[in-house]
Amino acid sequence: MNSATQQKPAAAPTSADGNRKRIGLFGSTGSIGTQALEVIAANPDKFAVTVLTANSNFELLIEQAKKFRPQTVVIGDESKFQTVKQALAGTGAEVMAGDQSLVDAASLEHYDMMLAAIVGFAGLRPTLRAIENGKSIALANKETLVVAGDIVMQQAVEKRVPVIPVDSEHSAIFQCLIGETRNRIEKVVLTASGGPFLGKKPNYLVNVKREHALQHPNWNMGAKISVDSATLMNKGLEMIEAKWLFNLRPEQIQVVIHPQSIVHSFVQFEDSSIKAQMGLPDMKLPIQYAMAFPQRIANAFPRFDFSKSAQLTFEPPDIKTFRNLGLAMEALYKGGNLPCVLNAANEIAVYGFLRNRIGFLDMTEVIEQTMKKIHFIPKPTLEQYFESDGEARSFAASLMNL
Ligand code: NDP
C-alpha cells in the first residue's frame, strides 16, 4: 500500500473449529497474555486457545494449560521441559521446549491467529514464521516492527496476512481508518500518558529507581514496557510501529501528552477532519477488538462516564528531558538498521536499569552511544538486522559491564 490511500484491512480467516477462532497465544504468561486469556474465557463460543507459550514462568504456563487445554504448550527455558511435560501428562497437550520450538510452534496447523504477545526482539522470529505460514496476526509485540518493519510488512502483503494492532494507540488509529480506504491521511497523533514522571526534570530523574518507574499511573503492564513508558521510549517505538503499520512518512506521525489516557489516538485527514477513538484505559478492549475483528463483541468492561466532567488535556512532550523519545525520532527519520540498533540498546539498558546496574538517565547514554557506534546500513537484509541486533546488544552491555 502507499501512503496516499490506506489498505483495506482483511478479515482474519474463519476458524476450522466450528465458529471459534483458534488462537495461538505467544507470550501467554505476560500482562497482554493473561488479559487475552480473560477475554477468551469470557467468550468460549468465539475463541479457543490451541497454542500457549512462555519463556520461564512454567508454573503459570502449567496452570493456564490445565484450564484452557491447548494442543501445544511451549516453554522457552529448556530446563523446565520435564516439569511441564509431567505436569501436563494426560491432558493431551504436546509439550515443546527451547527457542527454536517457539519458532516451530508458529508453523503449526492447529491455530488461525497468532496473538504476538512476547516482549522484545524475541518476538520477531515466531511472528515472521507465522506470517510465512499465512496466519493472521494480532500484534502486541511492537519490537517486531521496530526492528524489521519493512520485511515483516512486505511479507504480510505478499502472504495476504492481516496484521491487526493490539497496542491501544494503533488499535485506535486502525479503528479510525475503518471506512476511509480511499481517503488520504494528513497525519496521525499518538497520545502518551507521560508516564509516572510527567513534568519531572533531570535533577529528579537522576535519583529514580526501578520501583518508581514501574508505577504507571493508568496502565498495568509488564516491566519492560513500564520502564519504556517512564522514559517515553515506548512512544518512540510506537512512532516507528505506526510508520510500518499504516505506511506513513515520519513527518506524518506526532506525539501529544494526554495524561488521562482516554483518547487513545487521533487521525487527521486531508480535509482537516480529525477522528479519535476513546475509552477507559483497559488493554482488554484492543486485545478483544484485534481477536474478533471485524466484529465487535458486547462486554461488561467499565464505561467512560462523561457526566463526571472529566478534563481531557493535551500538551507537547518534553523531549529535552525525555531524550529517549528524541533518539527514537532520529531512528524513525534515518531508518535503515538504526531503529533495530535503538531497540537492542534499549532492551539492554532497561535490563540493566531493572537490575539496578545503571540509573534512569544512564539508559539514554547507553542508547545514544550505541547508535553512534554501530555501523549504519541503509537497506538491511533480515540477516543484517540480526547482526545489527547482536552487535548493538554486545556494545550496550559492554558500556554497563554486564
Ligand atoms: P510481559 O513482560 O508481561 O510478558 C512477556 C511475555 O513474553 C511473557 O509470556 C514471557 O514469558 C514471554 N517472554 C519473555 N521473554 C521471552 C523470550 N526471550 N522468548 C520467549 N518468550 C519470552 O510483557 P507485556 O505483556 O507487557 O508486553 C508484551 C508485548 O506487548 C511487548 O512487546 C509490549 O511492548 C507490548 N504491549 C504491551 C502492553 C501492555 O499493556 N502490557 C500494551 C501495548 C503493547 P515469561 O513470563 O515466562 O517470562
Side-chain angles (χ1 to χ4, degrees):
M1 99 181 143
N2 64 48
S3 60
T5 55
Q6 296 306 303
Q7 187 185 41
K8 189 174 179 187
T14 49
S15 164
D17 176 22
N19 289 323
R20 300 199 300 172
K21 195 177 282 175
R22 300 167 307 170
I23 306 292
L25 183 41
F26 285 67
S28 66
T29 48
S31 162
I32 293 288
T34 50
Q35 292 181 83
L37 287 174
E38 285 181 46
V39 171
I40 291 165
N43 296 282
D45 54 327
K46 296 195 168 55
F47 305 115
V49 192
T50 50
V51 182
L52 285 178
T53 87
N55 189 38
S56 58
N57 190 346
F58 66 98
E59 285 156 326
L60 182 55
L61 183 66
I62 290 168
E63 196 184 300
Q64 293 175 337
K66 285 184 173 165
K67 180 168 177 197
F68 289 91
R69 294 305 186 102
Q71 282 161 263
T72 304
V73 174
V74 190
I75 180 84
D77 180 349
E78 295 187 47
S79 71
K80 305 290 185 321
F81 173 68
Q82 284 303 337
T83 314
V84 178
K85 193 171 158 62
Q86 278 164 20
L88 298 182
T91 63
E94 182 195 8
V95 179
M96 300 158 67
D99 290 343
Q100 187 54 40
S101 294
L102 285 163
V103 181
D104 293 342
S107 312
L108 290 168
E109 274 283 306
H110 54 254
Y111 78 102
D112 305 307
M113 169 179 263
M114 168 186 275
L115 177 46
I118 289 176
V119 62
F121 180 85
L124 174 60
R125 279 184 203 267
T127 307
L128 268 175
R129 178 67 75 82
I131 294 172
E132 268 168 38
N133 283 274
K135 309 290 187 182
S136 314
I137 308 291
L139 187 76
N141 175 246
K142 64 193 81 182
E143 295 90 346
T144 284
L145 290 185
V146 172
V147 171
D150 53 346
I151 292 177
V152 172
M153 292 311 284
Q154 181 60 34
Q155 206 170 91
V157 168
E158 281 166 18
K159 294 281 176 182
R160 304 176 74 82
V161 158
V163 179
I164 305 171
V166 168
D167 225 345
S168 57
E169 296 78 1
H170 305 75
S171 176
I173 295 167
F174 187 87
Q175 293 181 55
C176 290
L177 292 176
I178 301 294
E180 303 284 359
T181 319
R182 291 163 180 272
N183 295 323
R184 279 173 199 267
I185 297 174
E186 200 163 82
K187 66 176 181 186
V188 302
V189 183
L190 300 171
T191 53
S193 69
F197 307 132
L198 178 61
K200 302 294 188 208
K201 296 292 172 195
N203 60 351
Y204 176 92
L205 295 173
V206 72
N207 293 318
V208 304
K209 295 278 176 261
R210 174 184 199 281
E211 304 71 58
H212 310 128
L214 292 180
Q215 297 302 317
H216 196 279
N218 303 341
W219 301 94
N220 188 7
M221 308 180 287
K224 193 251 175 189
I225 185 174
S226 295
V227 175
D228 285 347
S229 297
T231 62
L232 293 198
M233 176 57 89
N234 184 49
K235 214 46 55 180
L237 300 179
E238 287 179 1
M239 291 177 84
I240 301 169
E241 182 185 13
K243 168 183 163 167
W244 295 118
L245 276 172
F246 306 112
N247 199 23
L248 299 167
R249 297 186 307 280
E251 56 276 16
Q252 288 177 290
I253 310 167
Q254 286 185 0
V255 169
V256 67
I257 301 291
H258 168 48
Q260 300 82 17
S261 297
I262 298 297
V263 178
H264 298 309
S265 278
F266 301 94
V267 180
Q268 181 173 309
F269 295 93
E270 61 178 348
D271 65 352
S272 77
S273 180
I274 300 172
K275 274 182 161 181
Q277 187 266 339
M278 301 169 65
L280 289 175
D282 180 351
M283 281 309 295
K284 287 204 288 300
L285 178 55
I287 292 170
Q288 173 182 294
Y289 183 82
M291 290 200 307
F293 179 79
Q295 289 180 321
R296 289 188 183 272
I297 303 177
N299 60 39
F301 300 164
R303 268 57 176 164
F304 178 65
D305 184 353
F306 281 93
S307 69
K308 293 207 171 130
S309 67
Q311 283 216 324
L312 302 183
T313 59
F314 305 94
E315 59 188 275
D318 175 0
I319 298 184
K320 270 196 182 150
T321 301
F322 295 92
R323 289 179 52 230
N324 280 8
L325 179 55
L327 292 175
M329 287 165 79
E330 184 188 334
L332 166 74
Y333 275 83
K334 199 160 174 199
N337 65 340
L338 202 56
C340 169
V341 169
L342 168 101
N343 178 70
N346 181 57
E347 286 192 27
I348 296 295
V350 171
Y351 177 93
F353 174 72
L354 284 171
R355 280 153 192 79
N356 299 317
R357 301 291 292 268
I358 57 170
F360 188 81
L361 295 177
D362 298 331
M363 287 190 277
T364 309
E365 296 302 322
V366 168
I367 298 162
E368 190 170 35
Q369 284 193 44
T370 309
M371 286 169 72
K372 281 192 187 136
K373 174 78 181 176
I374 304 301
H375 173 64
F376 180 69
I377 308 173
K379 186 90 187 79
T381 61
L382 187 59
E383 200 50 46
Q384 286 172 323
Y385 278 128
F386 280 102
E387 283 165 15
S388 298
D389 174 80
E391 285 169 24
R393 274 169 204 271
S394 310
F395 183 73
S398 74
L399 293 175
M400 299 186 296
N401 299 319
L402 283 180

